Amino acid sequence: MILTLTVLAEEAAHAAEAAHSEGGLPQMDVTTFPSQIFWLAVTFGLLYWIMSSLVLPRLGAAIEERRDRIADDLDRAAESKRMAEEAEAAYNRSLADARAKAQAIAGETRDEVNAEIASLRKDAEDTLSSKADAAEARIEEMRRTAAAKVREAAADTTRAIVEALIQETPADAAVHAALAKAANA
Amino acid sequence: MLRQMAAGPMEQFEIHPLVPLTMGGVDVSFTNSTLWMWIALGAAIAFFGVATRSRALIPGRLQSVAEVFYEFIADTVRGAIGPEGMKFFPYVFTLFIYILLANLLGLFPTIPGLPHTFTTTSHIAVTASLGLLSISIVIIYGFYKNGLSFLKLFVPSGVPIWLLPLVSLIEIVSFLSRPISLAIRLFANMLAGHIILKVFAGFIISLLGAGGVFGVIAIFPFLGIIAITMLEILVAFLQAYVFAILTCIYLNDAVHAGHH
């Protein structure tokens, strides 16, 4: 069967060759046109059917799905970005609040500490000045005592001298008057 | 096959039946052209089958390439026709892939022992059929959508009445020449590219056969073949794209016939 077909094909080919050798393009051999057009219609039709019913819907669906997915992802990314920006704003706001609060606390504390320092200093100064007053008073007292003792010693001495000179004990009033007179001179 | 190696640059375009077949008295033999149409179809099914198997959210390599094609053609259709043109997207996509694969597969060198490489789009019968298919869709959809006002396409507004017959004639001729230009552009590009490749390959054989200094010179046509092959890969993409975008532009006339 196949052998017969091959032989027939050979004969047809030689016949075609003979026809061509008379000149002209093989393209202009109209006897081949029906076969070319028929098989073109069959193969082109099949390709069209496969493309339109199988290949193109699949490719289109894949592309469409990817486009949707990318659009979704972009939307989600935009949403995330918006949320991130909001979070950043909230963070900045709370940071500013905390800073203000910290400054307020620091100011208060500083004032308190200053006040405490001032009161402590005042106490210390008060204590010191009262001690100084007391000391001054004691110094004055001691000086007066010392002066009185000097006067007493001078009176005793004067009395002893006068007794030795005139064997007479002078009156206290006279001695003191004389001492006062000498001290003033 | 007992055939000789391709003798002339035109022999690569010859169509010979592999399995003779008639249908209602018409010869629809399974030819080498048919074989390469099925190879292109098989390549398309294999590529897009594997590419869309996983339908991953993060695409693999093949899926990425398939999606690049998808987005590329979808943008072309949307740009040329607008959102309402997307109902033609499967057609334009099929057209682009079919022509691209036919062009690219034809550039593969023949592997010894396997059937000769054949470019199905280097035949005017194929390119003219595709061009007529595109234009038929334009005409049928144009009348379906716009009714008789689709004919306004041939009556541009703002033209003086005495000039209208001439302008309409020009418009009609230009409309009718669209499938012809679609067909000839693709066919001629494929034909010329393959002839040049074959001629350069012939040079190499001749120079090597001459031997001596000529054998050394054979390096130049060889470099030329490399350059032309790269150019032809570009042309394969470009012509598939040109066919697709021109179809879009013509479809735009059918969708927006009232806006002229």
Side-chain angles (χ1 to χ4, degrees), chain A residues 149-170:
Chain A
K149 282 201 173 139
V150 168
R151 182 79 53 92
E152 196 60 40
D156 284 351
T157 311
T158 308
R159 208 176 284 126
I161 292 169
V162 169
E163 225 169 34
L165 286 173
I166 59 172
Q167 277 82 37
E168 194 180 319
T169 304

Side-chain angles (χ1 to χ4, degrees), chain A residues 33-181:
Chain A
F33 280 18
S35 157
Q36 287 192 64
I37 294 168
F38 172 74
W39 288 109
L40 170 70
V42 170
T43 50
F44 190 86
L46 263 176
L47 186 66
Y48 178 81
W49 177 72
I50 290 163
M51 287 295 165
S52 62
S53 63
L54 293 172
V55 170
L56 294 178
R58 283 183 176 191
L59 274 178
I63 291 170
E64 199 60 34
E65 194 190 335
R66 184 173 320 121
R67 201 168 286 156
D68 287 355
R69 182 72 170 274
I70 288 170
D72 281 1
D73 285 358
L74 284 178
D75 284 354
R76 222 173 309 143
E79 176 69 15
S80 299
K81 188 170 175 242
R82 202 180 54 71
M83 277 162 62
E85 277 167 357
E86 262 175 28
E88 199 198 348
Y91 163 76
N92 281 338
R93 216 175 312 118
S94 60
L95 190 67
D97 284 357
R99 199 169 282 151
K101 211 178 282 175
Q103 263 165 0
I105 290 173
E108 257 171 43
T109 311
R110 195 166 47 234
D111 290 351
E112 267 172 31
V113 169
N114 282 346
E116 202 172 327
I117 289 171
S119 80
L120 282 175
R121 183 186 289 150
K122 197 170 165 296
D123 286 356
E125 278 171 0
D126 287 354
T127 315
L128 284 176
S129 68
S130 70
K131 272 185 183 165
D133 287 352
E136 267 170 26
R138 219 164 55 234
I139 289 165
E140 187 59 29
E141 176 69 26
M142 280 166 80
R143 198 172 55 220
R144 235 191 340 266
T145 318
K149 282 201 173 139
V150 168
R151 182 79 53 92
E152 196 60 40
D156 284 351
T157 311
T158 308
R159 208 176 284 126
I161 292 169
V162 169
E163 225 169 34
L165 286 173
I166 59 172
Q167 277 82 37
E168 194 180 319
T169 304
D172 280 356
V175 170
H176 282 298
L179 279 175
K181 199 175 161 191

Side-chain angles (χ1 to χ4, degrees), chain A residues 9-10 12 20 25 27 33-37 39-40 43 47-48 50-51 55-56 58 60 63 66-67 69, chain B residues 1 10 13-15 17 26-29 34 45 48 52 57 67 70-71 98 122-123 126 129 187 191:
Chain A
E10 279 297 315
H20 293 152
L25 286 170
Q27 279 84 347
F33 280 18
S35 157
Q36 287 192 64
I37 294 168
W39 288 109
L40 170 70
T43 50
L47 186 66
Y48 178 81
I50 290 163
M51 287 295 165
V55 170
L56 294 178
R58 283 183 176 191
I63 291 170
R66 184 173 320 121
R67 201 168 286 156
R69 182 72 170 274
Chain B
M1 298 242 108
M10 299 314 289
F13 302 114
E14 273 172 19
I15 291 177
V26 181
D27 176 26
V28 290
S29 300
T34 314
I45 292 171
F48 284 103
T52 61
L57 199 62
E67 286 182 6
Y70 184 101
E71 300 269 27
Y98 193 94
S122 68
H123 272 256
V126 169
S129 300
F187 151 72
L191 182 73

Side-chain angles (χ1 to χ4, degrees), chain B residues 1 47 49-50 57 69 82 86 101 103 111 114 116 160 175 178 199 209 228-229 248 251 255:
Chain B
M1 298 242 108
F47 174 74
V50 174
L57 199 62
F69 281 130
M86 287 309 279
L101 279 174
N103 293 353
I111 298 162
L114 293 178
H116 279 278
F175 186 86
R178 283 172 175 184
V199 166
I228 292 168
T229 302
C248 287
L251 282 167
V255 175

Side-chain angles (χ1 to χ4, degrees), chain B residues 216-248:
Chain B
V216 179
I217 297 173
I219 191 76
F220 294 110
F222 180 70
L223 292 175
I225 279 196
I226 293 172
I228 292 168
T229 302
M230 288 194 281
L231 179 71
E232 283 302 305
I233 291 170
L234 176 70
V235 169
F237 270 96
L238 205 62
Q239 289 306 320
Y241 177 62
V242 164
F243 207 108
I245 195 167
L246 283 178
T247 296
C248 287

